[in-house]
């Protein structure tokens, strides 16, 4: 159900002002700089959550798409950031501790499915009680298995859960490709396996296939960064404050430009390339910025 927003442009200015104020009040200087600390991962997750929530609010909950624009144009990048962090986190953890496939599945799949089962059970019950809506046995089974073949925001049980199916695939495939002998090529391998699976005659809607293709690079890129860091393959150099400021300003401009010129409607390949570039730019901003947001 969409809602009417009174004076959406004014409401957007008010929200933007309050959001900027909240960010300014939580800024703290970074005292000890380490590469990709937990704090940065948390900040990027927070940014991704905001990007996705604001996009769904501005474009789907509100009847007027002017509401929250242009804060509402980074949903795809937000999704990419989650995949990137998942790939980086799994790879870092597995590099520190050798993978035991059985233990990996028990630990990771439990963390995925238990919150999912709890959330969808509540939603199924509420939909039945409040809206007298029954989704049928097939949808129930697919949902509890983590398989969401459609992403129609107004017809599907929970359209954003298409993400769960994709991340579930990565979790299932990761320990099988991140083996010691082939670890160096595992990012490429998991990307090829994923794109290869998309050529199979799967019972998926066309919109789902396109979403998978657009976001397929981020998880392998996260894995790749973890491998570069672990093997000390990243170049080390110091930047002056002026160069950092100029570089940060350029990256912020680039993200803003790509947010407004995302390539949506110009083909999956173009959209994927622009979305991936914006994702990496945001990660670089996080690595270069001299402050943290708590």
């Amino acid at each position: 159900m969409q809602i009417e927003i009174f004076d959406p442009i004014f409401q957007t200015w008010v929200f933007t002002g309050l959001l900027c104020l909240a960010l300014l009040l939580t800024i703290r200087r970074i005292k000890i700089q380490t590469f990709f600390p937990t704090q940065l991962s948390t900040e990027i997750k927070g940014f991704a959550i905001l990007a996705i929530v604001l996009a769904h609010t501005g474009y789907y909950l509100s009847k007027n798409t002017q509401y929250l624009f242009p804060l509402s144009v980074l949903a795809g990048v937000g999704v990419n950031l989650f995949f990137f962090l998942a790939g980086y986190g799994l790879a870092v953890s597995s590099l520190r501790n050798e993978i035991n496939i059985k233990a990996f599945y028990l630990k990771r799949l439990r963390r995925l499915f238990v919150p999912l089962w709890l959330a969808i059970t509540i939603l199924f019950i509420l939909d039945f009680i409040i809206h007298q809506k029954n989704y049928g046995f097939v949808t129930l089974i697919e949902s509890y298995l983590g398989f969401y073949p459609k992403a129609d925001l107004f017809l599907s049980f929970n359209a954003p859960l298409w993400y769960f199916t994709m991340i579930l695939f990565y979790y299932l495939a990761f320990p099988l490709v991140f083996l010691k002998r082939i670890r160096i090529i595992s990012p490429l391998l998991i990307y090829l396996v994923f794109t290869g699976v998309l050529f199979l005659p799967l019972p998926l809607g066309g919109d789902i296939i396109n979403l998978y293709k657009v976001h397929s690079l981020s998880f392998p890129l996260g894995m790749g960064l973890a491998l570069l860091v672990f093997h000390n393959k990243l170049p080390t150099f110091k930047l002056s404050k002026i160069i950092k400021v100029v570089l940060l300003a350029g990256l912020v401009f680039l993200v803003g430009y790509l947010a407004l010129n995302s390539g949506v409607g110009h083909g999956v390949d173009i959209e994927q390339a622009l979305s991936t570039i914006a994702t990496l730019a945001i990660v670089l901003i996080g690595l270069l910025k001299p402050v943290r947001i708590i």
Side-chain angles (χ1 to χ4, degrees), residues 207-222:
D207 54 341
I208 289 286
I209 296 293
N210 290 336
L211 284 171
Y212 288 169
K213 289 178 179 178
V214 167
H215 300 294
S216 60
L217 279 172
S218 297
F219 188 94
L221 285 174

Side-chain angles (χ1 to χ4, degrees), residues 169-170 173-174 176-179 181-196 220 223:
F169 172 88
Y170 282 131
F174 179 84
L176 303 179
V177 301
F178 205 73
L179 302 174
R181 288 173 294 178
I182 57 173
R183 188 175 288 165
I184 194 66
I185 63 168
S186 59
L188 175 62
L189 188 57
I190 201 169
Y191 173 76
L192 293 176
V193 171
F194 182 77
T195 53
M223 293 172 57

Side-chain angles (χ1 to χ4, degrees), residues 1-117:
M1 180 183 71
Q2 291 183 298
I3 60 176
E4 191 74 47
I5 303 295
F6 175 74
D7 198 347
I9 295 177
F10 174 74
Q11 298 279 12
T12 299
W13 277 107
V14 171
F15 177 84
T16 303
L18 292 174
L19 178 61
C20 290
L21 179 61
L23 293 176
L24 287 173
L25 291 175
T26 57
I27 286 178
R28 301 289 185 274
R29 181 175 294 276
I30 296 175
K31 296 180 179 179
I32 301 176
Q33 183 69 51
T34 58
F35 188 85
F36 224 103
T38 302
Q39 177 67 37
L40 175 57
S41 178
T42 302
E43 289 174 348
I44 294 177
K45 286 178 184 177
F47 179 88
I49 290 170
L50 275 176
I52 293 169
V53 170
L54 293 179
H56 282 81
T57 302
Y59 278 94
Y60 300 109
L61 181 60
S62 171
K63 290 183 179 180
N64 192 324
T65 56
Q66 288 181 308
Y67 181 57
L68 295 180
F69 181 85
L71 302 178
S72 56
V73 295
L74 279 171
V77 176
V79 172
N80 271 352
L81 289 170
F82 273 117
F83 281 125
F84 182 90
L85 292 175
Y88 180 83
L90 284 182
V92 166
S93 175
S94 300
L95 286 165
R96 291 172 179 169
N97 305 289
E98 198 64 33
I99 291 180
N100 178 296
I101 294 180
K102 180 180 178 181
F104 179 92
Y105 284 145
L106 287 174
K107 178 181 178 181
R108 303 292 178 177
L109 296 184
R110 183 172 63 249
R111 289 184 177 180
L112 278 180
F113 276 103
V114 171
L116 173 74
W117 289 339

Side-chain angles (χ1 to χ4, degrees), residues 134-162:
N134 189 340
Y135 290 94
F137 182 73
V138 173
T139 299
L140 285 172
I141 296 299
E142 288 178 343
S143 297
Y144 281 99
L145 290 177
F147 179 60
Y148 296 90
K150 296 180 181 179
D152 188 310
L153 197 71
F154 300 104
L155 297 177
S156 300
F157 159 61
N158 195 315
L161 283 176
W162 68 266

